Amino acid sequence: MENFALILDARNLHHPSELQLLLQPILAQIPSSLHRSLIIITPHPVTAFPPLPPEWLIIPIEDLKTSLNRYNYRCLGYIPLIPESLPTLLPLPTIYSDSPAFIAPWIPQTNFPLETAQAAAFNLSTWIASIELVQSSLTQQCPDYPWLLPKLAESLEKQSKNFRWQAISSSEPPVIPKLTPKVLAVIPHYGCEAWLHRCLLSLVNQTRPPDNIVVIDDNSPTTPTEIVAKFPTVTLMVAQENVGPYRLVQQIIKETAYDYYLFQDADDWSASQRLARLLSMAETQKADLVGTQEIRLDATTQTLTSITYPLDVNQALVEKPGHPLLHSTSLVRRSLVMQLGGFATGLRFGGDTEFLLRAAFVGRIVNIPEYGYFRQKRPHSLTTAPQTGLNSPARKQLLATLKQRANENRIAIAQGKKPNLEPLATSTPITLNHCFGPALNT
């Protein structure tokens, strides 16, 4: 890690003596080689600190840019020294010394739940990034404490900087089968123009790109023509009426013949190895539906939180019909979709849960242990709007119906009968108009 430097942001400390108390747990978690490349940002005069190793840089914030230019660092880690929430860090990987420019949350050690999704107790405040990206946004970031990764990303996007999103993981790179199957990334879109560019860039920049990417516009007030046109490899299709995401997804699966379909919401984005890891798990472990762990962005506070999911989704659903997989993180085999008769196209929301509860009876469903998906929690989405949100009466009533149906299917199987795996509600097929972009595999 000779090209790696670590910033410890001490601007929130009220007295220099606090630094000594916080340094020990941090130093215990990082390689000893990094102890020689620490940069401590302080609000106090440098002379106020007790004697520290001479190779450490203890500098006021205004000297940071000059100090970084002095060294040949490739990557930079950032840890705000917050006494009440010091992180338990994952080990540093070795893959970043020659990788393309990237930013990545540095995620604490993870314990995966057995039954349903679980949010971390603290926000993600630590991150790692390519040094040139940090230098490009120092002017905008310096006044803030702590430096928030989403704000760093916004600054870079305003400058049209090209970079990849990653999530720090200590696992080995994915094993990609030599004869890789065909994958279509599917993005239902309605009124998400503000986030669509980031969404598409994250898919185009995959280490194993999808064979095709399609944006299916659900008759938005403004068709996202200009945004999609910036990506020549992306196809734009438009529905003639507003029908909801499940009719869009089912129609594109019906009209095409890919081996797998990669889902993504238009206001979310992916880590650069997401598809590679999902595909590796699906192919090597014969899984039919594979999801990832989630990093959630609160659009109001601009903070990140890690959300963990059970690794064995089938077993989780036996234990409890909860929320063991996030649909938008997942990769699904076409054969599983066809075996189940497709998605419940008659539903405007909740169709992902409906599909999952049926799929668990016939397919192998897992989550990979890596964080591959960045999900945005924002007002007025399907899961937050008063009429369709997770706590709305309509959503609760639908969930009760789905759980009852799943329980009836378990009883039927126990009695040697066939379960009812037909979609709960279906609607008529729709017409999707090809606006522009490559033809899809049919």
Side-chain angles (χ1 to χ4, degrees):
M1 302 303 295
E2 58 187 21
N3 292 323
F4 188 96
L6 183 62
I7 287 181
L8 301 180
D9 195 340
R11 287 179 292 163
N12 198 44
L13 301 185
H14 301 293
H15 193 275
S17 62
E18 292 180 282
L19 179 62
Q20 293 281 23
L21 296 176
L22 297 176
L23 278 176
Q24 186 173 356
I26 293 295
L27 294 176
Q29 296 183 66
I30 61 176
S32 58
S33 59
L34 273 184
H35 295 187
R36 299 190 301 272
S37 53
L38 292 183
I39 302 173
I40 301 175
I41 303 174
T42 172
H44 307 286
V46 174
T47 55
F49 282 86
L52 293 172
E55 62 268 24
W56 295 4
L57 287 178
I58 306 175
I59 58 175
I61 185 66
E62 58 268 18
D63 291 344
L64 179 59
K65 189 170 186 177
T66 301
S67 298
L68 291 179
N69 289 337
R70 217 182 289 161
Y71 298 92
N72 189 31
Y73 296 129
R74 175 67 182 88
C75 304
L76 189 69
Y78 174 80
I79 301 177
L81 296 182
I82 305 173
E84 62 274 15
S85 60
L86 278 179
T88 302
L89 301 171
L90 277 174
L92 281 169
T94 57
I95 62 174
Y96 294 107
S97 60
D98 58 353
S99 66
F102 73 94
I103 62 175
W106 193 358
I107 305 165
Q109 295 282 5
T110 297
N111 294 316
F112 299 104
L114 298 178
E115 296 180 349
T116 192
Q118 182 175 310
F122 298 105
N123 293 329
L124 294 173
S125 56
T126 55
W127 46 262
I128 298 177
S130 300
I131 188 69
E132 66 267 26
L133 300 180
V134 179
Q135 290 171 318
S136 295
S137 63
L138 273 176
T139 303
Q140 292 86 353
Q141 295 293 304
C142 277
D144 297 329
Y145 180 89
W147 295 349
L148 299 177
L149 193 64
K151 290 189 176 182
L152 170 61
E154 286 184 3
S155 171
L156 296 171
E157 288 168 343
K158 288 178 181 178
Q159 300 175 62
S160 299
K161 296 288 184 180
N162 188 25
F163 62 94
R164 291 181 175 182
W165 286 84
Q166 296 186 6
I168 298 305
S169 171
S170 58
S171 62
E172 294 297 321
V175 177
I176 307 298
K178 292 182 179 180
L179 297 176
T180 55
K182 299 294 184 181
V183 181
L184 175 65
V186 182
I187 308 165
H189 175 273
Y190 182 81
C192 289
E193 292 82 6
W195 311 284
L196 185 58
H197 186 275
R198 178 185 288 183
C199 165
L200 291 174
L201 190 62
S202 75
L203 291 176
V204 170
N205 279 340
Q206 289 290 296
T207 57
R208 194 291 192 185
D211 295 274
N212 289 101
I213 302 170
V214 61
V215 175
I216 317 172
D217 183 66
D218 197 13
N219 201 246
S220 296
T222 303
T223 304
T225 306
E226 292 185 8
I227 300 171
V228 181
K230 296 177 181 178
F231 299 88
T233 60
V234 177
T235 300
L236 176 63
M237 304 191 79
V238 180
Q240 293 181 333
E241 58 180 316
N242 182 266
V243 297
Y246 309 111
R247 288 177 75 182
L248 300 179
V249 168
Q250 185 57 37
Q251 192 66 38
I252 205 70
I253 294 176
K254 179 182 178 181
E255 292 181 4
T256 59
Y258 292 82
D259 300 295
Y260 291 94
Y261 294 85
L262 179 73
F263 299 121
Q264 180 156 311
D265 288 346
D267 53 350
D268 299 338
W269 64 101
S270 294
S272 62
Q273 284 195 315
R274 178 190 167 208
L275 178 53
R277 295 194 180 281
L278 289 172
L279 195 56
S280 177
M281 176 66 79
E283 287 287 280
T284 59
Q285 302 299 318
K286 307 300 181 186
D288 302 293
L289 179 61
V290 188
T292 85
Q293 309 302 316
E294 170 195 351
I295 298 171
R296 185 174 299 174
L297 168 67
D298 187 314
T300 302
T301 64
Q302 290 295 291
T303 54
L304 298 173
T305 306
S306 61
I307 313 294
T308 50
Y309 292 84
L311 300 183
D312 187 337
V313 178
N314 295 95
Q315 184 61 38
L317 289 172
V318 170
E319 299 294 333
K320 176 182 179 180
H323 179 47
L325 180 142
L326 181 62
H327 171 75
S328 55
T329 74
S330 67
L331 177 78
V332 67
R333 289 184 191 266
R334 187 178 194 273
S335 57
L336 177 64
V337 178
M338 304 311 291
Q339 181 181 359
L340 291 170
F343 286 85
T345 54
L347 297 178
R348 299 283 300 205
F349 59 88
D352 46 358
T353 301
E354 194 275 347
F355 180 83
L356 176 64
L357 292 180
R358 287 185 290 129
F361 290 104
V362 295
R364 185 180 183 204
I365 309 175
V366 298
N367 285 304
I368 61 174
E370 289 81 26
Y371 292 83
Y373 195 81
F374 294 82
R375 181 189 182 195
Q376 183 174 197
K377 181 182 179 182
R378 60 180 180 85
H380 312 302
S381 69
L382 276 177
T383 56
T384 59
Q387 297 81 9
T388 62
L390 298 179
N391 293 317
S392 65
R395 179 84 66 162
K396 290 181 178 179
Q397 181 178 355
L398 174 61
L399 185 58
T401 299
L402 298 180
K403 288 183 178 180
Q404 179 182 349
R405 196 172 190 229
N407 188 54
E408 290 171 353
N409 279 335
R410 289 192 196 94
I411 294 173
I413 291 174
Q415 295 175 346
K417 301 176 183 178
K418 288 185 177 181
N420 178 10
L421 300 181
E422 294 294 320
L424 179 65
T426 57
S427 190
T428 57
I430 59 171
T431 299
L432 298 177
N433 295 323
H434 183 277
C435 189
F436 58 78
L440 303 181
N441 181 24
T442 57

